[in-house]
């Protein structure tokens, strides 16, 4: 039997950081292209809904990246940065702010909820894409 290690087992902190950076970039690009396409195809309301969902997705990945840094530092028993509690508080505040952004976009833009959900799904899609790309290498 061959003793091959799984690609995710060899993943370093730097690899995780670069994976999340690429996922943010993919989310922003796909969100912008999809919003532009929706604007041309079905109007500004659906484009605004898609852009709102994509912005929330990109900001969520950014926040996950920040939290991952603190978790990795804690697991490696390095000196944890002073801002750990602040990051956790901002994570919780972010949930409230994004919930409010979703509510306001649904009430003000009156576009398609499906466009908003597609924008929100971009974070999952981009992270899965990057994980599959990592596994393929």
């Amino acid at each position: 039997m061959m003793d091959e290690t799984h690609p995710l087992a060899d993943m370093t902190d730097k690899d995780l950081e670069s994976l999340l950076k690429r996922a943010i970039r993919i989310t922003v690009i796909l969100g912008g292209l999809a919003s532009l396409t929706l604007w041309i195809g079905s109007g500004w309301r659906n484009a605004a809904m898609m852009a709102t969902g994509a912005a929330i997705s990109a900001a969520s990945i950014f926040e996950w990246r920040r939290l991952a840094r603190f978790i990795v530092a804690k697991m490696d028993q390095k000196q944890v940065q002073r801002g750990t509690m602040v990051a956790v508080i901002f994570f919780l505040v972010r949930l409230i702010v994004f919930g409010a952004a979703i509510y306001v976009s649904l009430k003000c833009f009156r576009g398609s909820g499906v466009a908003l959900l597609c924008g929100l799904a971009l974070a999952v899609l981009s992270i899965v894409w990057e994980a599959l790309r990592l596994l393929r290498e």
Side-chain angles (χ1 to χ4, degrees), residues 112-126:
S112 171
V114 174
L116 179 66
L117 288 175
C118 288
L120 292 172
L122 283 177
V124 175
L125 178 71
S126 62

Side-chain angles (χ1 to χ4, degrees), residues 37-69:
T37 303
L38 280 173
W39 191 355
I40 293 169
S42 68
W44 71 271
R45 293 178 189 272
N46 291 334
M49 296 293 276
M50 180 66 166
T52 301
I56 291 171
S57 289
S60 295
I61 297 172
F62 180 77
E63 197 66 36
W64 296 339
R65 195 175 117 211
R66 229 169 79 182
L67 286 174
R69 262 188 258 137

Side-chain angles (χ1 to χ4, degrees), residues 23-44:
I24 291 172
R25 190 176 329 123
I26 289 170
T27 301
V28 169
I29 291 169
L30 286 178
L33 290 174
S35 294
L36 183 62
T37 303
L38 280 173
W39 191 355
I40 293 169
S42 68
W44 71 271

Side-chain angles (χ1 to χ4, degrees), residues 68-100:
R69 262 188 258 137
F70 291 120
I71 292 169
V72 166
K74 186 73 172 172
M75 286 174 40
D76 291 344
Q77 295 178 350
K78 294 179 185 173
Q79 183 178 5
V80 179
Q81 299 171 350
R82 291 188 349 214
T84 304
M85 195 61 185
V86 173
V88 171
I89 290 171
F90 277 131
F91 180 78
L92 296 174
V93 168
R94 179 191 62 83
L95 293 175
I96 295 168
V97 168
F98 288 167

Side-chain angles (χ1 to χ4, degrees), residues 7 22 132-137:
R22 287 190 308 269
L132 290 174
R133 204 185 99 188
L134 180 71
L135 289 173
R136 192 182 69 204
E137 289 178 357

